[in-house]
Amino acid sequence: MKQKTAYMLDFDGTVTVFDISTKLASKFGGRKYEEVEQAYLRKRIGMKEWLVKVSSFLPADLDYLISLSLKMAVLRPGFIDFLNFVRSSSH
């Protein structure tokens, strides 16, 4: 019996050219986002606090966020080739 292979991918910044959630937080948070980002980069706050603060900048309208994300998303070169490879080798 052929073993199945699982591929674990992070979407933001791995499948896409840039991290969409970061771009959205920057768009809605502006200067406040930059302050939080600098605090994180300087190790004054941890990832959990960064995530809580950054997510607070986003509007609570999921449909709107999804729509913006789809407009902003740019797939990394070669990702479609990777998907085609996975599809063709999974039979």
Side-chain angles (χ1 to χ4, degrees), residues 65-89:
L65 289 173
I66 290 171
S67 174
L68 281 176
S69 297
L70 291 172
K71 289 176 186 170
M72 295 170 74
V74 177
L75 296 178
R76 284 197 180 278
F79 183 69
I80 298 299
D81 293 333
F82 171 73
L83 284 180
N84 290 332
F85 166 77
V86 169
R87 287 181 181 136
S88 70
S89 64

Side-chain angles (χ1 to χ4, degrees), residues 9 13 22 29 32 35-38 49 58 64 68 78 83 88:
L9 301 171
T22 299
K32 289 182 181 183
E35 291 170 6
V36 172
E37 183 69 4
Q38 287 305 310
E49 187 175 351
L58 302 176
Y64 179 57
L68 281 176
L83 284 180
S88 70

